[in-house]
């Protein structure tokens, strides 16, 4: 790919609870972003953090090994600057100094643990740059991660945001122990999400939503399932508009499957198949709550949008 003369090649790393992701991109002086390389690897850094309060040694080593691979990718690509952002699992860990030291050795930069509010704002910036071309605001951007879920509402810029301590890994470890989950386990998971949404609704005016945008692995995987994909296709998923009822039905079906049935679908990585049920619970609860809030204000939410542009794009645009 040939970049414009004024473009600067940067690298963004997003270290979440379940996955480690890399974006190398050329950022133009006008704020445009041209992708050079993108990688996603399931490392499950947040393994057990909700229960123990610490990052597990084997989770750290998996993360460091992939970070070393990413360091080679960005070096080969000639990235001029790197920003490494860590989110929910690292925010919650008592032993995060071990994480910082390992990342520093593996990639040569300091990892930043961002707040939930900053995580939400980065996700909003990354997502709305692409979505705003085809859909009207205000936008409610929902970044559904492994340890937390960020809600951020805005039009040209974020106006209200909140990070909820519910995510696909966290809820799986707390509640969804059976394969498939029992009705009682699902009810307990839903109760956690509903309580988090009660608190979120006091901060983020959900009823102002015109376009609901979902980001990250759980949402994109649910979308792939709704589309009937046999192998994951990022281009097919990005920008997909689905009816609310279609997404809710897909969530219900994925939640009812066994892990083996999910793996047989073909588009899920092993590290996603065991937590997608919890992701489906969260996404369904968010959609239902937003739909009801919009209706209470006299509007109607009929569709949701899936974006492959997310916090990674926001991080890349923030590199100084």
């Amino acid at each position: 790919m040939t970049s414009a003369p004024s473009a600067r090649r940067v690298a963004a790393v997003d270290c979440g609870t379940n996955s480690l992701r890399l974006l190398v991109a050329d950022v133009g002086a006008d704020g445009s972003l041209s992708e050079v390389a993108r990688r996603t690897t399931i490392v499950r850094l947040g393994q057990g953090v909700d229960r123990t309060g610490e990052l597990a040694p084997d989770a750290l080593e998996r993360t460091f090994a992939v970070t070393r691979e990413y360091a080679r990718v960005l070096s080969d690509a000639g990235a001029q600057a790197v920003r490494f952002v860590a989110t929910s699992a690292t925010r919650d860990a008592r032993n995060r100094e071990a994480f910082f030291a390992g990342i520093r050795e593996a990639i040569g930069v300091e990892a930043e643990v961002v707040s939930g509010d900053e995580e939400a704002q980065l996700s909003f910036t990354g997502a709305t740059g692409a979505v705003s071309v085809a859909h009207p605001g205000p936008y409610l951007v929902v970044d559904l991660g492994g340890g937390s879920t960020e809600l951020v509402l805005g039009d040209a810029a974020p106006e209200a945001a909140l990070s909820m301590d519910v995510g696909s890994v966290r809820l799986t470890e707390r509640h969804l122990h059976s394969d498939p989950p029992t009705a009682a386990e699902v009810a307990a998971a839903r109760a956690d999400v509903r309580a988090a949404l009660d608190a979120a609704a006091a901060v983020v005016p959900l009823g102002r939503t015109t376009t609901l945008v979902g980001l990250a692995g759980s949402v994109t995987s649910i979308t792939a399932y709704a589309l009937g994909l046999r192998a994951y296709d990022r281009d097919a998923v990005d920008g997909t508009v689905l009816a609310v009822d279609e997404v809710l039905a897909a969530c219900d079906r994925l939640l009812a499957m066994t892990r083996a049935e999910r793996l047989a679908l073909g588009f899920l990585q092993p590290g996603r198949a065991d937590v997608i049920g919890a992701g489906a619970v969260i996404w369904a609860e968010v959609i239902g709550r937003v739909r009801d809030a919009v209706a209470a204000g006299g509007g109607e939410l009929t569709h949701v949008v899936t974006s492959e542009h997310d916090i990674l794009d926001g991080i890349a645009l923030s590199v100084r």
Side-chain angles (χ1 to χ4, degrees):
M1 180 181 297
T2 301
S3 60
S6 59
R8 181 177 181 230
R9 183 157 293 182
V10 303
V13 183
D14 168 35
C15 185
T17 300
N18 198 42
S19 60
L20 184 65
R21 303 186 307 137
L22 168 71
L23 171 64
V24 180
D26 292 330
V27 178
D30 59 354
S32 60
L33 189 149
S34 299
E35 180 177 320
V36 176
R38 190 181 290 255
R39 303 280 189 278
T40 298
T41 310
I42 303 295
V43 295
R44 193 63 59 83
L45 176 63
Q47 169 192 322
V49 167
D50 189 60
R51 176 177 54 83
T52 67
E54 294 190 347
L55 300 167
D58 52 338
L60 284 169
E61 185 44 49
R62 288 194 299 270
T63 303
F64 298 155
V66 175
T67 301
R68 288 190 288 270
E69 293 176 16
Y70 285 0
R72 289 190 287 271
V73 172
L74 64 89
S75 176
D76 290 345
Q80 298 166 265
V82 183
R83 188 178 184 195
F84 190 114
V85 167
T87 54
S88 178
T90 318
R91 279 198 299 267
D92 298 340
R94 288 189 297 267
N95 63 335
R96 58 186 189 173
E97 289 302 326
F99 169 79
F100 292 146
I103 295 301
R104 191 181 305 119
E105 180 180 355
I107 202 168
V109 298
E110 295 292 331
E112 302 174 52
V113 180
V114 296
S115 69
D117 285 346
E118 184 175 0
E119 183 177 356
Q121 290 172 1
L122 289 168
S123 296
F124 183 88
T125 300
T128 56
V131 169
S132 61
V133 175
H135 303 281
Y139 309 97
L140 180 68
V141 174
V142 180
D143 188 346
L144 201 171
S148 64
T149 297
E150 281 62 52
L151 305 177
V152 54
L153 180 79
D155 206 325
E159 298 168 17
L162 188 78
S163 179
M164 305 187 299
D165 279 336
V166 291
S168 60
V169 174
R170 194 184 296 269
L171 282 196
T172 299
E173 292 184 349
R174 280 185 187 173
H175 301 298
L176 305 186
H177 307 302
S178 303
D179 186 25
T182 66
E185 290 170 349
V186 172
R190 290 194 190 281
D192 268 11
V193 182
R194 289 171 182 173
L197 283 167
D198 287 342
V203 177
V204 181
L206 304 177
R208 288 189 53 222
T209 303
T210 296
T211 300
L212 177 59
V213 185
L215 317 178
S218 287
V219 173
T220 57
S221 296
I222 293 164
T223 302
Y225 177 64
L227 291 173
L229 300 184
R230 292 299 303 166
Y232 195 79
D233 183 338
R234 184 172 183 269
D235 291 336
V237 168
D238 187 33
T240 293
V241 179
L242 293 172
V244 164
D245 289 343
E246 190 176 0
V247 181
L248 294 178
C251 289
D252 286 345
R253 291 194 297 269
L254 280 167
L255 179 59
M257 290 180 184
T258 65
R259 183 176 183 275
E261 288 170 335
R262 293 171 188 155
L263 282 172
L265 295 171
F267 58 81
L268 283 174
Q269 295 174 287
R272 184 81 60 197
D274 59 333
V275 299
I276 190 62
V281 168
I282 297 166
W283 191 216
E285 291 295 330
V286 169
I287 292 172
R289 179 66 65 94
V290 175
R291 178 187 58 187
D292 292 348
V294 170
E300 185 180 16
L301 183 77
T302 59
H303 294 80
V304 298
V305 179
T306 301
S307 178
E308 285 278 7
H309 299 276
D310 51 30
I311 190 173
L312 265 181
D313 301 69
I315 296 168
L317 290 168
S318 75
V319 174
R320 296 292 177 261

